[in-house]
Amino acid sequence: MTRYVLRRLGTSALTVLGLVLVVFLVTRILPGDAAAARLGPEATPEDVAALRASYGLDDPLLVQLRDYVVRLAQGDLGRAVSTGRDVGTELVARLPATIELALAALVVAVLIGVPVGVLAAAHRGRPADVAGRVYAVLGSSMAPFWLGLLLIFGLFSTWHLLPGPIGRLPVGTPPPPDVTGLYVLDALLAGDPATAGQALRYLVLPALTLGIGASAAVVKMVRSALIATAGTGYVRTARAFGVAPREVLWRDQMRNAMLQILTSLGLVLSFLLGGNVIVEQLFSWPGMGRLAYDAVRANDLEVLQGYAIVIGVLYIALNVLIDLAYGLIDPRIRLGGARA
Amino acid sequence: MKRHLPRRRRTSVAAAAAVAAALALTACGGGDTPSDDASAGTAGSASEPLVISLDSSVDLLDAQAWRTPAAMVATGSLVEQLLEQTYDTDGLVRTGTTELEGALAESWEVSEDGLTTTFHLRDGLAFADGTPLTAQDVVWSYQRSLLGPGYVKALLPFAGVASPDDVTAPDDSTVVVTSSFASPLLAKMEAMQPLGIFSQATGEANATDDDPWAGEWFRENANSSGPYTVASYDPTQQLVLEPNEHYYAPEKIANAGVTVQFVSDPSQRALLLRSGELDLAQGIPLDQVKAMEDEDGLTVVSEPSNRLEYLGFNTAEAPFDDARVRQAVAKAVPYEDLVDQVLYGYANVSTGVVPASMETHSDDAGTFEEDLDAAADLLAEAGLPDGFSSTLYYKQSNAVEAAAAVLVQANLKEIGVDIDLKPLTDADFTQQTNARALPMYLNNFLGWGADPFYQMYYLAGSAAGTNFTSYANPDLDALLQEGVATTDEAGRAEISAEAQQVIYDDMPFVPVYNPAWTFVVRDGVTGLTKDNTEQLRLQYLTKG
């Protein structure tokens, strides 16, 4: 097991290195000069040159890459060219908002996706299945931006059921004492159910917007995982022994499909972490995605690089965790054991 | 220019005034310095705190180094200047006049030659942390504006104060500013918020070798000399401002605080205003502003503005190196249609490089009217009877410019000019205009202090960083320099008219329209204050 973990971490490190290289090159290809933008039109060419030099933007590409990797290895993500702030600090400060939103969206995706997927699989080829598949197609093809607008229009603007897109808490409500950075959790830890309730209410609309899109993927995946188990010997045997289909579905099929479902949920979560730039923008949600959106507008390569790397590393880390979780969930898999 | 004050508003304003008066009677016994300004209304008995959302977020707190328009408004309330403009009140809006009064300075004298200004500071001035504010702080702040991290470096030199040694403090309450030429612009600048006063002690305590002017510290913090202090600041979410108890004139703070909420999506900002979560909003899409005029509970406030939207050329390259081609394009711009269809009436058709609402505007330079026949004739004269093709650039983030570009493109097609439209990211646009790399572009400009010579110099002066047209005319430069240094009104008007004529004839850019200064507020919100740089002064806002 230890050997497996080490090997897995080793390959992840290589992946991270590849990620850094790609991010570095892609951001260099983008047009525009944040230094000139930061200094404004009255800046002299000397001012711009000095700022560019201070960011190393004039060095040869390979030198820039080397410096960048060295700095990254020291945990330094650089300074935002547009504001002068430390990118690492900025991203870390916004990470909890993004994680809270992604987790809430995952809950939405599971709460909708799993039952619909199970229903569709249990009634394969019948109206329930067709409805489930139609939902999956609609859900995955609807742009989150559009869905968000519809939800805001209905649930906030028309029926006033939920608060508007103004961030994580009502204006004037102080955030709960910082423990995890997840407001709902922190407020509960601080024994403040009122604030927790508020934070939850503000979380619902953006989480629905992100989660409904993701639930489509969950439906497809749960359905196909269950259907794949339907043709296996143990299901046929159980059925032959007269076990009720429902019991077979939940006890045998579901348990065996769990592995695949869990893997996919991990992927969905990493998608949710990185895929919420537009949703954060729409809901004024103060997460990393919003920082990235502003960075694109300001042509701030330092922030964009930092964002891409943090998201990429989170993605890779999630995948490692999922791999490791396999062994715990499925006793058939013994990680790092003797090779066949 | 119209201002929209539907009838039901009067009752709500009256009600607000009544509430304010009642509050003043009951809540406030200690109005020992009664405001001389009736429209501050709730003087001494601040109205409720307000929640507002401007057209951008507040990127940092340094009044000399901000980047976003909202940051200029917000940081301006964290510093106080030596002088302050007086205001005329008309309905809900107070507008800055060219008359100035003392702020931190109790009085000031200008020497006979106009080159030396001596300011006498008030007694007992203090920063928000309670430390005294002295003449040394003024010197340090002015020097910081010249040498520090900000981009207001060009401001004082334009009025003849270029060296850090030009500002001195003979004693703790006296500041002497020396300029190389006499200019009425200097006093206007001394009333501008980027020349508000920073604490030298705080700056020095937070300075480093790399950062002698404490740019880092002032980016996230303030030791305010202005009406507010910072209660909390999260650059992605909100800035909470609280009244500064050490402010020199507490009666000039009409509310109990202002929260600037950063709502990134303009349409969402409109929804939040409608639902009452915001008291005031800026930057709402104009079609929605139009609809809001008829909605209960909301008031649209729209005032004429000096902001100038213009169609710039690169005059160094063909075909725009020929003034006749530039004139032809100017005659092909659909001015009225742009104002009606793109700006929903929230703009004025351009009246020239010096707008009609700015002093010394001249009507004689020439008009801006669509005349496609004349445009075609001019093109033929310039040897381009079959037209030409070019590309018109604009900022992706600016939906109004994107729509305007389409109308301009359609009209130019009528005279045989084929235009491609190309949006750029803000940063890319800035870089390309700075490099003078764009043949045609839509851009806008707001001159500080509503000064005609500042306006013309920064748009058409050959050395101006914001003149992106490559236009360089030594005669015009000399004329503008003379204008800046002329103090008598008749002389200024004459020079200004002559310069406006030169710019009209050469047409290095086409002034297209002046977008209005537009806000939407909840009924009961009053005290919207537009200073000479068209900034909203937060301290005068009240909420009934």
Side-chain angles (χ1 to χ4, degrees):
Chain A
M1 180 76 186
T2 320
R3 233 175 68 207
Y4 174 80
V5 173
L6 286 178
R7 205 168 64 225
R8 196 69 188 77
L9 288 178
T11 51
S12 304
L14 280 179
T15 319
V16 170
L17 213 62
L19 166 78
V20 169
L21 187 67
V22 170
V23 165
F24 178 82
L25 290 177
V26 166
T27 47
R28 301 295 135 164
I29 293 168
L30 293 174
D33 180 358
R38 175 180 177 188
L39 290 170
E42 281 304 313
T44 61
E46 294 81 54
D47 291 343
V48 176
L51 187 71
R52 286 183 60 85
S54 78
Y55 279 85
L57 292 171
D58 294 325
D59 295 339
L61 211 56
L62 275 178
V63 176
Q64 288 191 44
L65 177 61
R66 186 201 62 202
D67 292 350
Y68 188 60
V69 172
V70 169
R71 279 194 291 122
L72 269 184
Q74 297 162 344
D76 179 3
L77 286 173
R79 265 171 185 282
V81 183
S82 54
T83 60
R85 292 195 174 94
D86 183 77
V87 174
T89 316
E90 288 266 287
L91 285 169
V92 167
R94 280 152 194 69
L95 186 58
T98 296
I99 290 181
E100 185 171 48
L101 178 54
L103 287 176
L106 185 68
V107 170
V108 170
V110 168
L111 286 181
I112 299 175
V114 171
V116 174
V118 170
L119 264 175
H123 302 273
R124 190 174 173 195
R126 279 177 284 167
D129 186 22
V130 174
R133 276 151 63 192
V134 167
Y135 173 81
V137 170
L138 280 182
S140 55
S141 53
M142 179 132 52
F145 177 67
W146 174 239
L147 180 62
L149 283 179
L150 285 183
L151 289 172
I152 291 170
F153 180 75
L155 297 176
F156 162 62
S157 209
T158 309
W159 297 313
H160 307 292
L161 294 174
L162 287 166
I166 198 166
R168 300 176 77 184
L169 281 174
V171 177
T173 306
D178 188 21
V179 183
T180 61
L182 311 183
Y183 280 4
V184 178
L185 190 58
D186 283 357
L188 287 176
L189 288 177
D192 182 357
T195 303
Q198 285 287 11
L200 195 60
R201 276 166 53 79
Y202 276 75
L203 190 54
V204 172
L205 271 184
L208 276 178
T209 305
L210 257 182
I212 287 177
S215 72
V218 177
V219 169
K220 284 189 235 173
M221 173 187 98
V222 168
R223 179 181 174 275
S224 66
L226 288 177
I227 286 174
T229 60
T232 54
Y234 60 82
V235 170
R236 268 205 311 276
T237 310
R239 289 274 182 87
F241 274 98
V243 181
R246 176 179 303 227
E247 204 178 324
V248 177
L249 180 74
W250 287 108
R251 205 189 59 193
D252 300 312
Q253 288 178 261
M254 198 61 183
R255 196 180 284 177
N256 282 287
M258 210 55 205
L259 186 64
Q260 200 187 336
I261 292 175
L262 193 90
T263 316
S264 315
L265 284 184
L267 289 177
V268 168
L269 181 60
S270 33
F271 161 77
L272 289 172
L273 280 170
N276 52 11
V277 173
I278 298 297
V279 174
E280 287 188 3
Q281 171 72 4
L282 185 63
F283 287 90
S284 296
W285 195 261
M288 294 196 302
R290 201 166 160 209
L291 197 68
Y293 183 92
D294 290 342
V296 170
R297 285 189 52 180
N299 238 329
D300 200 323
L301 299 187
E302 299 281 320
V303 177
L304 280 178
Q305 284 176 166
Y307 175 73
I309 283 170
V310 169
I311 292 291
V313 168
L314 279 176
Y315 188 93
I316 293 165
L318 264 173
N319 275 290
V320 173
L321 285 177
I322 293 162
D323 283 358
L324 298 182
Y326 276 2
L328 302 176
I329 295 165
D330 192 334
R332 288 171 305 182
I333 299 176
R334 297 199 33 229
L335 300 173
R339 280 178 215 183
Chain B
M1 190 62 225
K2 53 195 171 170
R3 193 144 57 76
H4 309 278
L5 291 171
R7 182 163 300 140
R8 64 170 184 280
R9 186 126 328 95
R10 296 207 188 122
T11 50
S12 60
V13 172
V19 170
L23 275 174
L25 285 174
T26 53
C28 175
D32 47 6
T33 20
S35 170
D36 53 3
D37 191 339
S39 71
T42 49
S45 65
S47 86
E48 278 182 64
L50 288 95
V51 181
I52 70 173
S53 182
L54 302 173
D55 62 358
S56 47
S57 60
V58 175
D59 60 345
L60 40 89
L61 298 182
D62 189 330
Q64 294 179 346
W66 48 266
R67 277 292 163 287
T68 59
M72 184 174 184
V73 171
T75 61
S77 68
L78 300 173
V79 287
E80 185 67 32
Q81 324 77 244
L82 289 176
L83 304 179
E84 171 64 318
Q85 51 214 298
T86 55
Y87 295 96
D88 277 343
T89 303
D90 176 17
L92 292 182
V93 179
R94 298 150 41 84
T95 306
T97 71
T98 47
E99 291 292 306
L100 300 175
E101 60 182 12
L104 295 181
E106 191 163 41
S107 63
W108 72 103
E109 309 103 44
V110 182
S111 66
E112 237 168 71
D113 59 8
L115 299 181
T116 308
T117 315
T118 307
F119 295 95
H120 305 284
L121 300 188
R122 290 173 200 273
D123 288 337
L125 294 175
F127 289 103
D129 67 352
T131 56
L133 186 162
T134 71
Q136 286 301 335
D137 294 302
V138 178
V139 173
W140 192 78
S141 304
Y142 275 40
Q143 290 177 341
R144 189 176 190 271
S145 89
L146 290 168
L147 305 171
Y151 77 139
V152 293
K153 291 189 175 89
L155 206 54
L156 278 174
F158 192 71
V161 183
S163 155
D165 302 329
D166 289 344
V167 188
T168 56
D171 62 58
D172 272 359
S173 65
T174 311
V175 178
V176 178
V177 178
T178 317
S179 49
S180 52
F181 53 84
S183 165
L185 189 55
L186 182 58
K188 283 185 188 170
M189 286 181 180
E190 283 154 346
M192 281 182 209
Q193 289 162 312
L195 290 180
I197 306 309
F198 287 69
S199 161
Q200 180 179 14
T202 303
E204 286 176 351
N206 294 289
T208 62
D209 287 346
D210 291 341
D211 179 25
W213 298 99
E216 293 268 322
W217 193 86
F218 284 113
R219 187 164 60 219
E220 318 288 338
N221 305 283
N223 185 8
S224 176
S225 59
Y228 293 105
T229 60
V230 177
S232 73
Y233 172 48
D234 174 346
T236 47
Q237 212 156 8
Q238 79 217 138
L239 170 68
V240 182
L241 297 169
E242 282 175 351
N244 173 4
E245 56 181 89
H246 291 284
Y247 188 53
Y248 84 101
E251 75 282 359
K252 286 189 174 174
I253 309 173
N255 53 59
V258 175
T259 296
V260 187
Q261 196 72 27
F262 313 146
V263 179
S264 33
D265 188 275
S267 296
Q268 304 317 313
R269 206 177 293 143
L271 284 181
L272 292 164
L273 180 71
R274 286 191 170 108
S275 73
E277 291 191 55
L278 296 174
D279 298 310
L280 172 149
Q282 183 191 21
I284 291 177
L286 294 174
D287 54 334
Q288 295 195 44
V289 173
K290 193 86 198 162
M292 286 174 161
E293 295 206 4
D294 300 323
E295 287 176 33
D296 283 338
L298 297 178
T299 304
V300 175
V301 178
S302 186
E303 291 277 309
S305 158
N306 290 327
R307 186 176 284 282
L308 179 65
E309 182 76 30
Y310 66 91
L311 171 63
F313 302 109
N314 182 354
T315 65
E317 277 175 28
F320 301 117
D321 54 349
D322 186 329
R324 288 168 300 189
V325 175
R326 306 194 294 262
Q327 298 280 3
V329 173
K331 295 228 179 291
V333 171
Y335 300 97
E336 300 278 351
D337 291 349
L338 286 173
V339 168
D340 293 344
Q341 294 169 25
V342 176
L343 288 118
Y344 295 87
Y346 297 105
N348 285 339
V349 168
S350 164
T351 46
V353 57
V354 174
S357 50
M358 194 181 275
E359 54 170 330
T360 77
H361 163 77
S362 162
D363 276 331
D364 301 332
T367 55
F368 294 87
E369 279 163 5
E370 178 183 348
D371 184 345
L372 293 179
D373 294 336
D377 291 347
L378 278 163
L379 270 191
E381 244 179 75
L384 293 166
D386 302 324
F388 57 90
S389 34
S390 187
T391 306
L392 175 59
Y393 294 83
Y394 55 91
K395 290 179 286 295
Q396 211 164 37
S397 61
N398 191 325
V400 171
E401 283 178 355
V406 174
L407 291 196
V408 170
Q409 179 193 39
N411 255 32
L412 285 174
K413 186 137 190 102
E414 301 271 314
I415 58 167
V417 177
D418 267 325
I419 297 293
D420 276 338
L421 300 183
K422 188 149 191 230
L424 299 175
T425 64
D426 291 17
D428 205 10
F429 186 86
T430 306
Q431 191 200 355
Q432 305 254 25
T433 46
N434 277 340
R436 277 70 178 160
L438 304 179
M440 286 176 95
Y441 47 90
L442 286 170
N443 200 5
N444 67 74
F445 179 83
L446 176 70
W448 289 10
D451 185 87
F453 296 104
Y454 187 99
Q455 174 99 353
M456 286 188 279
Y457 173 79
Y458 277 102
L459 281 166
S462 57
T466 44
N467 170 8
F468 304 120
T469 65
S470 308
Y471 173 70
N473 179 344
D475 294 341
L476 178 69
D477 290 344
L479 206 53
L480 293 176
Q481 190 52 51
E482 190 190 344
V484 172
T486 300
T487 46
D488 79 287
E489 274 183 38
R492 276 168 65 83
E494 197 181 314
I495 296 167
S496 175
E498 198 181 326
Q500 289 172 58
Q501 190 68 58
V502 172
I503 294 171
Y504 186 88
D505 292 343
D506 282 349
M507 199 70 76
F509 54 87
V510 184
V512 182
Y513 53 80
N514 303 108
W517 187 85
T518 304
F519 290 84
V520 187
V521 299
R522 303 283 311 170
D523 284 352
V525 172
T526 58
L528 278 83
T529 302
K530 169 182 161 221
D531 71 17
N532 287 337
T533 307
E534 307 197 354
Q535 300 306 302
L536 183 70
R537 294 282 180 117
L538 301 178
Q539 73 207 75
Y540 302 110
L541 285 173
T542 64
K543 177 179 167 182

